[in-house]
Amino acid sequence: MSSPSSTSLVPRISPSILASDFAHLADELGRIETADWAHVDVMDNHFVPNLTLGLPVVEALAAVSPVPLDCHLMIEDPDRWAADYAEAGAGSVTFHVEAAADPVATARSIRAAGARAAVAIKPDTAFAPYEELLGEVDMVLVMTVEPGFGGQSFMADQLAKVRAVREAVRRRGSEIWVQVDGGVSAETIGRCAEAGADVFVAGSAVYGADDVPAAIADLRDRARSHLCG
Ligand code: DX5
Ligand code: ZN
Protein backbone atom coordinates (compact mmCIF):
# COMPACT_ATOMS: atom_id res chain seq x y z
CA MET A 1 0.00 0.00 0.00
CA SER A 2 1.33 3.39 -0.86
CA SER A 3 1.53 6.23 1.62
CA PRO A 4 2.07 9.95 0.92
CA SER A 5 5.74 9.51 1.79
CA SER A 6 6.22 6.94 -0.98
CA THR A 7 4.36 8.86 -3.70
CA SER A 8 6.39 8.83 -6.93
CA LEU A 9 7.89 12.15 -7.86
CA VAL A 10 6.99 13.83 -11.15
CA PRO A 11 9.73 15.85 -12.90
CA ARG A 12 8.79 19.42 -13.77
CA ILE A 13 10.88 21.65 -16.03
CA SER A 14 10.90 25.41 -15.51
CA PRO A 15 13.02 27.19 -18.14
CA SER A 16 14.43 30.52 -16.98
CA ILE A 17 13.61 33.38 -19.32
CA LEU A 18 16.69 35.17 -17.95
CA ALA A 19 18.56 33.34 -20.73
CA SER A 20 16.03 34.40 -23.39
CA ASP A 21 15.86 37.46 -25.65
CA PHE A 22 14.38 40.25 -23.49
CA ALA A 23 13.37 42.18 -26.62
CA HIS A 24 10.90 39.40 -27.52
CA LEU A 25 9.66 37.96 -24.22
CA ALA A 26 6.20 36.91 -25.43
CA ASP A 27 7.76 34.95 -28.30
CA GLU A 28 10.33 33.46 -25.98
CA LEU A 29 7.55 32.19 -23.69
CA GLY A 30 5.87 30.67 -26.74
CA ARG A 31 9.03 28.61 -27.39
CA ILE A 32 8.68 26.82 -24.04
CA GLU A 33 5.02 25.81 -24.25
CA THR A 34 6.01 22.16 -23.67
CA ALA A 35 7.58 23.06 -20.31
CA ASP A 36 5.68 22.88 -17.02
CA TRP A 37 6.44 26.41 -15.82
CA ALA A 38 8.23 29.55 -16.96
CA HIS A 39 10.83 30.70 -14.41
CA VAL A 40 10.93 34.48 -14.05
CA ASP A 41 13.91 35.92 -12.16
CA VAL A 42 13.02 39.19 -10.44
CA MET A 43 16.18 41.01 -9.28
CA ASP A 44 16.26 44.40 -7.57
CA ASN A 45 19.97 45.33 -7.65
CA HIS A 46 20.00 45.25 -3.82
CA PHE A 47 19.47 41.64 -2.74
CA VAL A 48 21.59 40.64 -5.75
CA PRO A 49 23.91 42.81 -7.89
CA ASN A 50 21.70 42.66 -10.97
CA LEU A 51 18.45 44.25 -12.11
CA THR A 52 15.88 42.52 -14.31
CA LEU A 53 12.14 43.17 -14.24
CA GLY A 54 9.29 43.76 -11.83
CA LEU A 55 5.54 43.72 -11.32
CA PRO A 56 4.30 45.45 -14.50
CA VAL A 57 6.34 43.10 -16.70
CA VAL A 58 5.25 40.01 -14.74
CA GLU A 59 1.62 41.06 -15.14
CA ALA A 60 2.10 41.47 -18.90
CA LEU A 61 3.87 38.10 -19.19
CA ALA A 62 1.21 36.28 -17.14
CA ALA A 63 -1.40 37.46 -19.63
CA VAL A 64 0.37 35.85 -22.62
CA SER A 65 2.33 32.91 -21.20
CA PRO A 66 1.26 29.41 -22.35
CA VAL A 67 2.53 27.99 -19.02
CA PRO A 68 2.16 29.32 -15.47
CA LEU A 69 4.81 31.71 -14.17
CA ASP A 70 7.24 30.56 -11.48
CA CYS A 71 8.46 33.88 -10.06
CA HIS A 72 11.77 33.80 -8.20
CA LEU A 73 12.06 36.99 -6.18
CA MET A 74 15.66 38.02 -5.52
CA ILE A 75 14.61 41.22 -3.81
CA GLU A 76 14.83 42.90 -0.43
CA ASP A 77 11.67 43.20 1.64
CA PRO A 78 9.74 40.34 -0.01
CA ASP A 79 7.28 40.60 2.90
CA ARG A 80 6.04 43.78 1.28
CA TRP A 81 6.00 42.62 -2.36
CA ALA A 82 5.51 38.85 -2.66
CA ALA A 83 1.70 38.76 -2.61
CA ASP A 84 1.57 41.43 -5.33
CA TYR A 85 3.33 38.99 -7.69
CA ALA A 86 0.62 36.42 -6.99
CA GLU A 87 -2.01 39.06 -7.69
CA ALA A 88 -0.19 39.97 -10.90
CA GLY A 89 -0.89 36.42 -12.10
CA ALA A 90 2.12 34.30 -11.08
CA GLY A 91 1.21 30.68 -10.32
CA SER A 92 4.09 30.28 -7.88
CA VAL A 93 6.00 32.91 -5.92
CA THR A 94 9.38 32.15 -4.33
CA PHE A 95 11.10 34.48 -1.87
CA HIS A 96 14.47 34.19 -0.15
CA VAL A 97 14.57 33.30 3.56
CA GLU A 98 17.64 35.54 3.88
CA ALA A 99 15.57 38.59 2.88
CA ALA A 100 12.28 37.94 4.66
CA ALA A 101 11.53 39.45 8.08
CA ASP A 102 8.47 37.24 8.62
CA PRO A 103 8.58 34.24 6.25
CA VAL A 104 5.46 32.61 7.73
CA ALA A 105 3.32 35.70 7.14
CA THR A 106 4.82 36.19 3.69
CA ALA A 107 4.11 32.59 2.63
CA ARG A 108 0.56 32.93 3.91
CA SER A 109 0.07 36.17 2.01
CA ILE A 110 1.13 34.47 -1.24
CA ARG A 111 -1.25 31.57 -0.70
CA ALA A 112 -4.07 33.93 0.26
CA ALA A 113 -3.54 35.69 -3.07
CA GLY A 114 -4.01 32.36 -4.86
CA ALA A 115 -0.49 31.22 -5.76
CA ARG A 116 1.80 28.45 -4.59
CA ALA A 117 4.27 29.75 -2.00
CA ALA A 118 7.95 28.83 -1.94
CA VAL A 119 11.12 29.71 -0.06
CA ALA A 120 14.59 29.89 -1.58
CA ILE A 121 17.88 29.17 0.18
CA LYS A 122 21.24 30.58 -0.99
CA PRO A 123 24.31 28.30 -1.14
CA ASP A 124 25.81 29.58 2.15
CA THR A 125 22.52 29.34 4.05
CA ALA A 126 21.74 26.19 6.04
CA PHE A 127 18.33 24.57 5.67
CA ALA A 128 17.90 23.24 9.25
CA PRO A 129 16.88 26.56 10.89
CA TYR A 130 14.05 26.88 8.35
CA GLU A 131 12.66 23.34 8.51
CA GLU A 132 9.56 24.53 10.38
CA LEU A 133 8.60 26.55 7.29
CA LEU A 134 7.70 23.28 5.55
CA GLY A 135 4.30 23.62 7.16
CA GLU A 136 3.72 26.88 5.27
CA VAL A 137 5.08 26.34 1.76
CA ASP A 138 4.47 24.34 -1.43
CA MET A 139 8.09 24.25 -2.62
CA VAL A 140 11.65 24.79 -1.40
CA LEU A 141 14.21 26.17 -3.85
CA VAL A 142 17.79 25.09 -3.20
CA MET A 143 20.08 27.46 -5.14
CA THR A 144 22.85 25.61 -6.96
CA VAL A 145 24.66 28.86 -7.86
CA GLU A 146 24.98 32.22 -6.11
CA PRO A 147 21.83 34.07 -7.19
CA GLY A 148 22.23 37.00 -9.54
CA PHE A 149 23.29 35.72 -12.93
CA GLY A 150 22.58 32.97 -15.44
CA GLY A 151 25.24 30.80 -17.02
CA GLN A 152 27.22 29.99 -13.86
CA SER A 153 28.73 26.61 -12.94
CA PHE A 154 26.63 24.12 -10.97
CA MET A 155 27.63 23.83 -7.28
CA ALA A 156 27.61 20.08 -6.59
CA ASP A 157 28.17 20.72 -2.88
CA GLN A 158 24.54 21.88 -2.68
CA LEU A 159 23.25 18.36 -3.40
CA ALA A 160 23.58 17.46 0.29
CA LYS A 161 21.10 20.26 1.05
CA VAL A 162 18.73 18.97 -1.63
CA ARG A 163 18.90 15.57 0.05
CA ALA A 164 18.26 17.07 3.50
CA VAL A 165 15.22 19.01 2.26
CA ARG A 166 13.77 15.95 0.51
CA GLU A 167 14.28 13.83 3.65
CA ALA A 168 12.55 16.45 5.80
CA VAL A 169 9.65 16.59 3.32
CA ARG A 170 9.38 12.78 3.40
CA ARG A 171 9.42 12.69 7.19
CA ARG A 172 6.40 14.99 7.17
CA GLY A 173 4.70 12.78 4.57
CA SER A 174 4.15 15.91 2.55
CA GLU A 175 4.02 16.65 -1.18
CA ILE A 176 6.22 19.74 -1.13
CA TRP A 177 8.23 20.20 -4.32
CA VAL A 178 12.02 20.60 -4.17
CA GLN A 179 13.44 22.89 -6.86
CA VAL A 180 17.02 23.40 -8.01
CA ASP A 181 18.16 26.53 -9.87
CA GLY A 182 21.55 27.33 -11.36
CA GLY A 183 23.78 25.36 -13.71
CA VAL A 184 21.11 22.70 -14.28
CA SER A 185 21.86 20.94 -17.59
CA ALA A 186 21.79 17.55 -19.30
CA GLU A 187 25.03 16.84 -17.46
CA THR A 188 23.89 17.82 -13.94
CA ILE A 189 20.12 17.18 -13.85
CA GLY A 190 20.45 13.46 -13.08
CA ARG A 191 22.39 14.13 -9.88
CA CYS A 192 19.78 16.71 -8.83
CA ALA A 193 16.97 14.21 -9.37
CA GLU A 194 18.85 11.47 -7.52
CA ALA A 195 19.29 13.81 -4.57
CA GLY A 196 15.54 14.46 -4.41
CA ALA A 197 14.79 17.48 -6.59
CA ASP A 198 11.63 17.31 -8.70
CA VAL A 199 11.43 20.83 -10.18
CA PHE A 200 14.32 21.90 -12.40
CA VAL A 201 15.08 25.46 -13.48
CA ALA A 202 17.26 25.66 -16.58
CA GLY A 203 18.17 28.88 -18.38
CA SER A 204 21.14 28.41 -20.68
CA ALA A 205 20.50 24.67 -21.09
CA VAL A 206 17.08 25.41 -22.63
CA TYR A 207 17.39 28.77 -24.39
CA GLY A 208 20.96 28.03 -25.51
CA ALA A 209 19.81 24.88 -27.32
CA ASP A 210 19.25 24.76 -31.08
CA ASP A 211 16.01 22.84 -30.54
CA VAL A 212 14.27 24.18 -27.44
CA PRO A 213 11.40 21.62 -27.22
CA ALA A 214 13.92 18.79 -27.67
CA ALA A 215 16.09 20.21 -24.87
CA ILE A 216 13.07 20.40 -22.55
CA ALA A 217 12.08 16.80 -23.39
CA ASP A 218 15.65 15.58 -22.90
CA LEU A 219 15.96 17.27 -19.48
CA ARG A 220 12.62 15.80 -18.41
CA ASP A 221 13.63 12.28 -19.54
CA ARG A 222 16.97 12.47 -17.77
CA ALA A 223 15.30 13.72 -14.59
CA ARG A 224 12.63 11.02 -14.73
CA SER A 225 15.19 8.24 -15.06
CA HIS A 226 17.06 9.47 -11.97
CA LEU A 227 14.21 10.53 -9.70
CA CYS A 228 14.60 9.17 -6.21
CA GLY A 229 10.85 8.36 -6.21
C1 DX5 B 1 20.25 32.94 -11.06
C2 DX5 B 1 18.83 32.66 -11.48
C3 DX5 B 1 18.64 31.48 -12.34
C4 DX5 B 1 19.31 31.54 -13.69
C5 DX5 B 1 19.70 30.14 -14.05
O1 DX5 B 1 20.20 33.89 -10.04
O2 DX5 B 1 18.03 32.45 -10.31
O3 DX5 B 1 17.25 31.20 -12.51
O4 DX5 B 1 18.51 32.06 -14.71
O5 DX5 B 1 20.43 30.18 -15.23
P1 DX5 B 1 21.29 28.93 -15.72
O6 DX5 B 1 20.36 27.77 -15.90
O7 DX5 B 1 21.88 29.42 -17.00
O8 DX5 B 1 22.31 28.65 -14.65
ZN1 ZN C 1 15.99 31.76 -10.56
mmCIF file of all heavy atoms in Angstrom, residues 1 32 40 53 56 72 76 79 87 97 101 108 116 123 129 131 137 141 159-160 165 177 180 195 199 208 216 226:
data_model
loop_
_atom_site.group_PDB
_atom_site.id
_atom_site.type_symbol
_atom_site.label_atom_id
_atom_site.label_comp_id
_atom_site.label_asym_id
_atom_site.label_seq_id
_atom_site.Cartn_x
_atom_site.Cartn_y
_atom_site.Cartn_z
ATOM 1 N N MET A 1 0.849 -1.205 0.000
ATOM 2 C CA MET A 1 0.000 0.000 0.000
ATOM 3 C C MET A 1 0.877 1.244 0.000
ATOM 4 O O MET A 1 1.888 1.296 0.697
ATOM 5 C CB MET A 1 -0.874 -0.019 1.260
ATOM 6 C CG MET A 1 -2.062 0.895 1.137
ATOM 7 S SD MET A 1 -3.124 0.766 2.596
ATOM 8 C CE MET A 1 -2.431 2.021 3.651
ATOM 9 N N ILE A 32 8.584 27.823 -25.121
ATOM 10 C CA ILE A 32 8.678 26.817 -24.037
ATOM 11 C C ILE A 32 7.302 26.306 -23.634
ATOM 12 O O ILE A 32 7.083 25.902 -22.484
ATOM 13 C CB ILE A 32 9.443 27.371 -22.810
ATOM 14 C CG1 ILE A 32 8.778 28.633 -22.250
ATOM 15 C CG2 ILE A 32 10.905 27.643 -23.172
ATOM 16 C CD1 ILE A 32 9.230 28.988 -20.845
ATOM 17 N N VAL A 40 10.718 33.045 -13.846
ATOM 18 C CA VAL A 40 10.929 34.484 -14.046
ATOM 19 C C VAL A 40 11.763 35.024 -12.888
ATOM 20 O O VAL A 40 11.311 35.039 -11.734
ATOM 21 C CB VAL A 40 9.575 35.225 -14.120
ATOM 22 C CG1 VAL A 40 9.798 36.720 -14.334
ATOM 23 C CG2 VAL A 40 8.704 34.653 -15.243
ATOM 24 N N LEU A 53 13.493 42.685 -13.938
ATOM 25 C CA LEU A 53 12.141 43.172 -14.241
ATOM 26 C C LEU A 53 11.300 43.085 -12.973
ATOM 27 O O LEU A 53 11.691 42.461 -12.001
ATOM 28 C CB LEU A 53 11.539 42.342 -15.377
ATOM 29 C CG LEU A 53 11.626 40.813 -15.222
ATOM 30 C CD1 LEU A 53 10.508 40.263 -14.364
ATOM 31 C CD2 LEU A 53 11.600 40.144 -16.591
ATOM 32 N N PRO A 56 5.047 45.174 -13.257
ATOM 33 C CA PRO A 56 4.296 45.445 -14.502
ATOM 34 C C PRO A 56 4.645 44.446 -15.597
ATOM 35 O O PRO A 56 3.779 44.033 -16.377
ATOM 36 C CB PRO A 56 4.734 46.863 -14.889
ATOM 37 C CG PRO A 56 5.341 47.447 -13.671
ATOM 38 C CD PRO A 56 5.875 46.317 -12.852
ATOM 39 N N HIS A 72 10.700 33.931 -9.188
ATOM 40 C CA HIS A 72 11.772 33.801 -8.197
ATOM 41 C C HIS A 72 12.205 35.208 -7.811
ATOM 42 O O HIS A 72 12.880 35.895 -8.578
ATOM 43 C CB HIS A 72 12.919 32.995 -8.837
ATOM 44 C CG HIS A 72 14.142 32.884 -7.991
ATOM 45 N ND1 HIS A 72 15.358 32.463 -8.497
ATOM 46 C CD2 HIS A 72 14.352 33.113 -6.668
ATOM 47 C CE1 HIS A 72 16.267 32.443 -7.529
ATOM 48 N NE2 HIS A 72 15.683 32.853 -6.414
ATOM 49 N N GLU A 76 14.960 42.579 -1.850
ATOM 50 C CA GLU A 76 14.827 42.905 -0.435
ATOM 51 C C GLU A 76 13.359 43.131 -0.116
ATOM 52 O O GLU A 76 12.554 43.444 -0.996
ATOM 53 C CB GLU A 76 15.650 44.159 -0.111
ATOM 54 C CG GLU A 76 17.136 43.854 -0.128
ATOM 55 C CD GLU A 76 17.983 45.043 0.277
ATOM 56 O OE1 GLU A 76 17.443 46.164 0.434
ATOM 57 O OE2 GLU A 76 19.201 44.844 0.413
ATOM 58 N N ASP A 79 8.509 40.554 2.078
ATOM 59 C CA ASP A 79 7.284 40.599 2.897
ATOM 60 C C ASP A 79 6.295 41.619 2.330
ATOM 61 O O ASP A 79 5.090 41.416 2.339
ATOM 62 C CB ASP A 79 7.638 40.992 4.353
ATOM 63 C CG ASP A 79 8.798 40.175 4.896
ATOM 64 O OD1 ASP A 79 9.943 40.421 4.448
ATOM 65 O OD2 ASP A 79 8.579 39.293 5.723
ATOM 66 N N GLU A 87 -0.871 38.311 -7.135
ATOM 67 C CA GLU A 87 -2.007 39.059 -7.689
ATOM 68 C C GLU A 87 -1.776 39.460 -9.142
ATOM 69 O O GLU A 87 -2.720 39.583 -9.928
ATOM 70 C CB GLU A 87 -2.305 40.283 -6.832
ATOM 71 C CG GLU A 87 -3.337 39.945 -5.767
ATOM 72 C CD GLU A 87 -3.223 40.805 -4.523
ATOM 73 O OE1 GLU A 87 -2.737 41.950 -4.629
ATOM 74 O OE2 GLU A 87 -3.608 40.299 -3.443
ATOM 75 N N VAL A 97 14.647 33.252 2.088
ATOM 76 C CA VAL A 97 14.566 33.298 3.556
ATOM 77 C C VAL A 97 15.529 34.347 4.101
ATOM 78 O O VAL A 97 15.258 34.948 5.150
ATOM 79 C CB VAL A 97 14.871 31.922 4.203
ATOM 80 C CG1 VAL A 97 13.790 30.918 3.901
ATOM 81 C CG2 VAL A 97 16.246 31.383 3.803
ATOM 82 N N ALA A 101 11.608 39.169 6.643
ATOM 83 C CA ALA A 101 11.534 39.447 8.084
ATOM 84 C C ALA A 101 10.572 38.471 8.744
ATOM 85 O O ALA A 101 10.796 38.022 9.863
ATOM 86 C CB ALA A 101 11.085 40.884 8.318
ATOM 87 N N ARG A 108 2.029 32.912 3.817
ATOM 88 C CA ARG A 108 0.558 32.926 3.914
ATOM 89 C C ARG A 108 -0.048 33.984 3.012
ATOM 90 O O ARG A 108 -1.127 33.775 2.430
ATOM 91 C CB ARG A 108 0.145 33.160 5.378
ATOM 92 C CG ARG A 108 0.418 31.935 6.231
ATOM 93 C CD ARG A 108 0.025 32.136 7.678
ATOM 94 N NE ARG A 108 0.388 30.953 8.450
ATOM 95 C CZ ARG A 108 0.311 30.843 9.775
ATOM 96 N NH1 ARG A 108 -0.130 31.871 10.498
ATOM 97 N NH2 ARG A 108 0.675 29.723 10.381
ATOM 98 N N ARG A 116 0.969 29.335 -5.390
ATOM 99 C CA ARG A 116 1.801 28.449 -4.587
ATOM 100 C C ARG A 116 2.901 29.297 -3.951
ATOM 101 O O ARG A 116 3.434 30.212 -4.587
ATOM 102 C CB ARG A 116 2.424 27.354 -5.461
ATOM 103 C CG ARG A 116 1.412 26.393 -6.076
ATOM 104 C CD ARG A 116 2.087 25.442 -7.052
ATOM 105 N NE ARG A 116 3.125 24.648 -6.415
ATOM 106 C CZ ARG A 116 2.904 23.465 -5.817
ATOM 107 N NH1 ARG A 116 1.702 22.934 -5.814
ATOM 108 N NH2 ARG A 116 3.895 22.822 -5.243
ATOM 109 N N PRO A 123 23.324 29.359 -1.418
ATOM 110 C CA PRO A 123 24.313 28.304 -1.143
ATOM 111 C C PRO A 123 24.918 28.344 0.263
ATOM 112 O O PRO A 123 25.146 27.287 0.863
ATOM 113 C CB PRO A 123 25.388 28.538 -2.218
ATOM 114 C CG PRO A 123 24.625 29.116 -3.366
ATOM 115 C CD PRO A 123 23.561 29.995 -2.730
ATOM 116 N N PRO A 129 17.625 25.554 10.119
ATOM 117 C CA PRO A 129 16.877 26.560 10.890
ATOM 118 C C PRO A 129 15.511 26.901 10.287
ATOM 119 O O PRO A 129 14.687 27.526 10.951
ATOM 120 C CB PRO A 129 17.786 27.800 10.840
ATOM 121 C CG PRO A 129 19.125 27.308 10.448
ATOM 122 C CD PRO A 129 18.909 26.077 9.635
ATOM 123 N N GLU A 131 13.456 24.549 8.758
ATOM 124 C CA GLU A 131 12.657 23.340 8.514
ATOM 125 C C GLU A 131 11.189 23.530 8.899
ATOM 126 O O GLU A 131 10.291 22.996 8.246
ATOM 127 C CB GLU A 131 13.275 22.155 9.274
ATOM 128 C CG GLU A 131 12.610 20.861 8.898
ATOM 129 C CD GLU A 131 13.355 19.622 9.390
ATOM 130 O OE1 GLU A 131 14.583 19.679 9.595
ATOM 131 O OE2 GLU A 131 12.675 18.595 9.569
ATOM 132 N N VAL A 137 4.725 26.130 3.166
ATOM 133 C CA VAL A 137 5.083 26.335 1.758
ATOM 134 C C VAL A 137 4.752 25.126 0.882
ATOM 135 O O VAL A 137 4.550 24.018 1.373
ATOM 136 C CB VAL A 137 6.592 26.684 1.592
ATOM 137 C CG1 VAL A 137 6.932 27.971 2.324
ATOM 138 C CG2 VAL A 137 7.475 25.536 2.062
ATOM 139 N N LEU A 141 13.205 26.003 -2.793
ATOM 140 C CA LEU A 141 14.214 26.171 -3.853
ATOM 141 C C LEU A 141 15.608 26.153 -3.233
ATOM 142 O O LEU A 141 15.942 27.022 -2.420
ATOM 143 C CB LEU A 141 13.979 27.502 -4.585
ATOM 144 C CG LEU A 141 15.118 28.049 -5.460
ATOM 145 C CD1 LEU A 141 15.635 27.035 -6.448
ATOM 146 C CD2 LEU A 141 14.653 29.307 -6.193
ATOM 147 N N LEU A 159 24.102 19.551 -3.299
ATOM 148 C CA LEU A 159 23.254 18.359 -3.397
ATOM 149 C C LEU A 159 22.934 17.779 -2.017
ATOM 150 O O LEU A 159 21.863 17.196 -1.814
ATOM 151 C CB LEU A 159 23.915 17.303 -4.288
ATOM 152 C CG LEU A 159 23.973 17.691 -5.770
ATOM 153 C CD1 LEU A 159 24.824 16.704 -6.564
ATOM 154 C CD2 LEU A 159 22.567 17.775 -6.365
ATOM 155 N N ALA A 160 23.855 17.955 -1.073
ATOM 156 C CA ALA A 160 23.584 17.459 0.293
ATOM 157 C C ALA A 160 22.373 18.196 0.872
ATOM 158 O O ALA A 160 21.555 17.605 1.594
ATOM 159 C CB ALA A 160 24.810 17.665 1.176
ATOM 160 N N VAL A 165 16.581 18.465 2.427
ATOM 161 C CA VAL A 165 15.222 19.013 2.259
ATOM 162 C C VAL A 165 14.265 17.887 1.889
ATOM 163 O O VAL A 165 13.183 17.754 2.470
ATOM 164 C CB VAL A 165 15.189 20.135 1.199
ATOM 165 C CG1 VAL A 165 13.757 20.595 0.961
ATOM 166 C CG2 VAL A 165 16.066 21.313 1.617
ATOM 167 N N TRP A 177 7.267 20.341 -3.221
ATOM 168 C CA TRP A 177 8.227 20.197 -4.320
ATOM 169 C C TRP A 177 9.596 20.731 -3.866
ATOM 170 O O TRP A 177 9.685 21.648 -3.042
ATOM 171 C CB TRP A 177 7.777 20.999 -5.544
ATOM 172 C CG TRP A 177 6.487 20.538 -6.154
ATOM 173 C CD1 TRP A 177 5.781 19.401 -5.843
ATOM 174 C CD2 TRP A 177 5.731 21.202 -7.176
ATOM 175 N NE1 TRP A 177 4.653 19.320 -6.624
ATOM 176 C CE2 TRP A 177 4.592 20.412 -7.453
ATOM 177 C CE3 TRP A 177 5.913 22.387 -7.896
ATOM 178 C CZ2 TRP A 177 3.642 20.770 -8.413
ATOM 179 C CZ3 TRP A 177 4.962 22.750 -8.851
ATOM 180 C CH2 TRP A 177 3.855 21.945 -9.108
ATOM 181 N N VAL A 180 15.621 22.984 -7.899
ATOM 182 C CA VAL A 180 17.019 23.403 -8.015
ATOM 183 C C VAL A 180 17.118 24.450 -9.122
ATOM 184 O O VAL A 180 16.371 24.398 -10.102
ATOM 185 C CB VAL A 180 17.967 22.215 -8.317
ATOM 186 C CG1 VAL A 180 18.236 21.388 -7.069
ATOM 187 C CG2 VAL A 180 17.435 21.335 -9.444
ATOM 188 N N ALA A 195 19.224 13.233 -5.911
ATOM 189 C CA ALA A 195 19.288 13.809 -4.566
ATOM 190 C C ALA A 195 17.904 14.162 -4.024
ATOM 191 O O ALA A 195 17.747 14.428 -2.832
ATOM 192 C CB ALA A 195 20.184 15.048 -4.576
ATOM 193 N N VAL A 199 11.704 19.681 -9.316
ATOM 194 C CA VAL A 199 11.432 20.833 -10.178
ATOM 195 C C VAL A 199 12.791 21.432 -10.574
ATOM 196 O O VAL A 199 13.615 21.735 -9.700
ATOM 197 C CB VAL A 199 10.568 21.901 -9.489
ATOM 198 C CG1 VAL A 199 10.171 22.981 -10.493
ATOM 199 C CG2 VAL A 199 9.330 21.281 -8.856
ATOM 200 N N GLY A 208 19.727 28.121 -24.734
ATOM 201 C CA GLY A 208 20.964 28.034 -25.513
ATOM 202 C C GLY A 208 20.942 26.876 -26.493
ATOM 203 O O GLY A 208 21.877 26.708 -27.281
ATOM 204 N N ILE A 216 13.991 20.557 -23.688
ATOM 205 C CA ILE A 216 13.070 20.397 -22.554
ATOM 206 C C ILE A 216 12.728 18.910 -22.366
ATOM 207 O O ILE A 216 12.776 18.380 -21.246
ATOM 208 C CB ILE A 216 11.786 21.233 -22.785
ATOM 209 C CG1 ILE A 216 12.123 22.728 -22.722
ATOM 210 C CG2 ILE A 216 10.697 20.864 -21.766
ATOM 211 C CD1 ILE A 216 11.005 23.645 -23.204
ATOM 212 N N HIS A 226 16.236 9.413 -13.191
ATOM 213 C CA HIS A 226 17.065 9.470 -11.973
ATOM 214 C C HIS A 226 16.272 9.823 -10.725
ATOM 215 O O HIS A 226 16.855 9.908 -9.640
ATOM 216 C CB HIS A 226 18.179 10.499 -12.145
ATOM 217 C CG HIS A 226 19.248 10.064 -13.084
ATOM 218 N ND1 HIS A 226 19.167 10.254 -14.437
ATOM 219 C CD2 HIS A 226 20.424 9.433 -12.857
ATOM 220 C CE1 HIS A 226 20.254 9.758 -15.016
ATOM 221 N NE2 HIS A 226 21.030 9.250 -14.072
#
